[in-house]
Amino acid sequence: MRTIRTLCLTGAALAALSTPALAKDLKICLIAGKTGALEAYAKQTEVGFTMGLEYLTQGKNEILGRKLQVLVKDDQLKPDRGKALLEECYADDGAEIAVGSTGSAVALAMLPVAEEAKKVLIVEPAVADSITGEKWNRYIFRTGRSSYQDALAAAAAIPDNEEVAIGMLGLDTAFGRDGVKAFAEALAAMRPKAKIVAEEYAAGNTADFTPFAERLFAALKDKPGKRVINFIWAGAHPMAKFVDMKPERFNIMLAPGGNILPVMNAWKQFAGAEGGTYYYHAFPKNKMNDWLRTEYQKRYNAPPDFFVAGGFAAASAVFNGITKAGGTDTEKLIAAMEGMMFETPKGDMIFRAVDHQAQQDMFHWRIKKDATDNDLLELVATIPAATMPLPFRNKR
């Protein structure tokens, strides 16, 4: 009887070994600034990320047989809170990869947490150059565009081989100041005949832009060649207030840059204004963007916006990275993602091996003469990633 019992136990053990254990959920942490001035950006990122995972997993919500659990946390645009939330994600929640955040200051506070935990953090959509520059570490990948990529796109929208005098209005934050600095460098690299002759910086809650506009007008009005005021701005945009002050009196044009649709729709009357942008729903022609446009319109009665595409791109990086690595082991993930090409609604992206910044096309746009809400821009040119001289700054 002892022999028979032993054989029975052995058979049960073998049966248990031959039955696959139920894989635990694959937890992904998404941190965004859902409270505060960038709330709209954060909500779009979350929707885009969720829709991206839906598309890429064909509605199964799993990768490599593991069900996905997305943990969404609100950092309220507070760096200390963002840092604490990421620590919580990795240490307490068991997240194997994280995405975030909306504000650059928060993202910068999160970078050392990823390094300490030895876990991958995909930065989306924070833009500060230092994220993939001097503050970078090997656990950081960014699908979001950098300030310098924004600057290169804006520079590409400036007339070539013409004298152009430029005045800058920047948001008085790291985003605004880094953006102006990057734009000056991008002009030197791509449009050497264009020069920034004046800079102004204003707080996001500024109500009266008159003194800023007057100083920029004074600096530009007697300059030879074309005269342009460019904006590096997030949140409620000051362009309309500048228009009210009639810059055309001094032959000054306005170049507002890309923004979310509710902001840009207010610019319908500014036909002919040009700029560069990360994404506009009608520009990219690919199956992924076609699906996103169709499904987003069904669900939200509007086209997908700027940060929806960004969230979707981050989801694609997560899906393709884990799939290529065969799991979530950090070292295998890093090896898989360095140099990885992956599809996004705006076109293919490639993570540069040196600094993990996603190389990506940008778009030169013009406001249509017959512009209407959500049908505002015409494509002047796609700006290929290969034509944009994006420097390495992480000293790797």
Side-chain angles (χ1 to χ4, degrees), residues 277-296:
T277 193
Y278 166 88
Y279 174 84
Y280 185 72
H281 61 89
F283 292 170
K285 305 299 181 186
N286 59 68
K287 289 183 180 180
M288 186 177 281
N289 194 51
D290 290 346
W291 180 88
L292 178 59
R293 293 182 72 194
T294 299
E295 288 300 315
Y296 198 89

Side-chain angles (χ1 to χ4, degrees), residues 128-149:
D129 287 322
S130 54
I131 291 168
T132 44
E134 62 268 23
K135 300 297 184 181
W136 175 87
N137 64 68
R138 64 190 296 268
Y139 302 94
I140 306 306
F141 290 79
R142 175 159 56 185
T143 50
R145 83 285 183 216
S146 66
S147 284
Y148 205 96
Q149 285 171 310

Side-chain angles (χ1 to χ4, degrees), residues 248-306:
E248 66 274 11
R249 291 176 294 150
F250 308 110
N251 292 319
I252 295 172
M253 300 171 58
L254 302 179
N259 215 303
I260 58 175
L261 288 171
V263 173
M264 296 187 78
N265 284 338
W267 303 344
K268 292 190 293 292
Q269 67 271 37
F270 311 140
E274 297 184 21
T277 193
Y278 166 88
Y279 174 84
Y280 185 72
H281 61 89
F283 292 170
K285 305 299 181 186
N286 59 68
K287 289 183 180 180
M288 186 177 281
N289 194 51
D290 290 346
W291 180 88
L292 178 59
R293 293 182 72 194
T294 299
E295 288 300 315
Y296 198 89
Q297 186 70 44
K298 285 180 186 177
R299 301 176 194 188
Y300 300 98
N301 196 32
D305 212 341
F306 197 115

Side-chain angles (χ1 to χ4, degrees), residues 201-213:
Y201 297 92
N205 61 355
T206 299
D208 183 9
F209 286 91
T210 302
F212 302 96

Side-chain angles (χ1 to χ4, degrees), residues 20 100 216 371:
L216 290 173

Side-chain angles (χ1 to χ4, degrees), residues 19-357:
T19 303
L22 291 175
K24 65 177 182 179
D25 286 356
L26 197 166
K27 295 181 180 180
I28 304 165
C29 195
L30 175 65
I31 298 176
K34 297 177 67 174
T35 301
L38 305 183
E39 175 186 355
Y41 301 179
K43 288 183 176 179
Q44 286 187 20
T45 301
E46 181 181 350
V47 170
F49 189 75
T50 302
M51 291 185 71
L53 291 177
E54 176 188 346
Y55 175 88
L56 291 154
T57 66
Q58 299 180 329
K60 295 178 182 178
N61 194 41
E62 62 181 38
I63 301 176
L64 300 177
R66 296 178 63 188
K67 287 292 183 183
L68 302 179
Q69 186 179 347
V70 179
L71 310 172
V72 181
K73 297 177 184 282
D74 178 11
D75 61 42
Q76 301 174 7
L77 293 181
K78 299 174 181 177
D80 287 348
R81 180 175 170 84
K83 179 180 178 181
L85 288 175
L86 187 59
E87 290 171 345
E88 178 181 279
C89 284
Y90 291 141
D92 300 335
D93 299 328
E96 296 172 63
I97 193 168
V99 177
S101 181
T102 315
S104 288
V106 179
L108 286 165
M110 291 162 60
L111 304 188
V113 177
E115 185 173 30
E116 183 177 348
K118 293 182 169 55
K119 296 286 186 181
V120 168
L121 169 65
I122 296 175
V123 175
E124 174 66 47
V127 299
D129 287 322
S130 54
I131 291 168
T132 44
E134 62 268 23
K135 300 297 184 181
W136 175 87
N137 64 68
R138 64 190 296 268
Y139 302 94
I140 306 306
F141 290 79
R142 175 159 56 185
T143 50
R145 83 285 183 216
S146 66
S147 284
Y148 205 96
Q149 285 171 310
D150 271 350
L152 290 166
I158 295 291
D160 197 7
N161 296 319
E162 294 185 47
E163 298 288 339
V164 184
I166 301 171
M168 299 297 304
L169 179 68
L171 193 64
D172 194 10
T173 62
F175 161 74
R177 291 182 178 274
D178 282 1
V180 172
K181 179 182 177 183
F183 186 51
E185 295 178 12
L187 288 172
M190 297 181 69
R191 297 290 188 267
K193 290 190 176 182
K195 307 290 183 185
I196 295 175
V197 299
E199 300 175 19
E200 293 287 336
Y201 297 92
N205 61 355
T206 299
D208 183 9
F209 286 91
T210 302
F212 302 96
E214 287 179 343
R215 287 193 292 269
L216 290 173
F217 291 171
L220 289 171
K221 66 181 183 180
D222 296 323
K223 293 291 186 279
K226 291 196 173 182
R227 304 159 190 167
V228 180
I229 294 176
N230 273 68
F231 299 81
I232 307 292
W233 204 264
H237 204 283
M239 180 169 161
K241 296 182 179 180
F242 271 64
V243 169
D244 290 342
M245 296 186 65
K246 303 189 183 307
E248 66 274 11
R249 291 176 294 150
F250 308 110
N251 292 319
I252 295 172
M253 300 171 58
L254 302 179
N259 215 303
I260 58 175
L261 288 171
V263 173
M264 296 187 78
N265 284 338
W267 303 344
K268 292 190 293 292
Q269 67 271 37
F270 311 140
E274 297 184 21
T277 193
Y278 166 88
Y279 174 84
Y280 185 72
H281 61 89
F283 292 170
K285 305 299 181 186
N286 59 68
K287 289 183 180 180
M288 186 177 281
N289 194 51
D290 290 346
W291 180 88
L292 178 59
R293 293 182 72 194
T294 299
E295 288 300 315
Y296 198 89
Q297 186 70 44
K298 285 180 186 177
R299 301 176 194 188
Y300 300 98
N301 196 32
D305 212 341
F306 197 115
F307 295 95
V308 175
F312 202 119
S316 184
V318 168
F319 176 85
N320 284 284
I322 293 173
T323 301
K324 185 179 178 184
T328 58
D329 176 82
T330 297
E331 291 304 316
K332 290 180 180 178
L333 264 178
I334 292 173
M337 293 171 69
E338 287 187 341
M340 183 179 77
M341 177 182 288
F342 55 103
E343 186 182 1
T344 81
K346 63 175 288 187
D348 289 342
M349 292 186 184
I350 301 174
F351 281 129
R352 301 199 302 188
V354 174
D355 63 357
H356 303 172
Q357 173 62 52

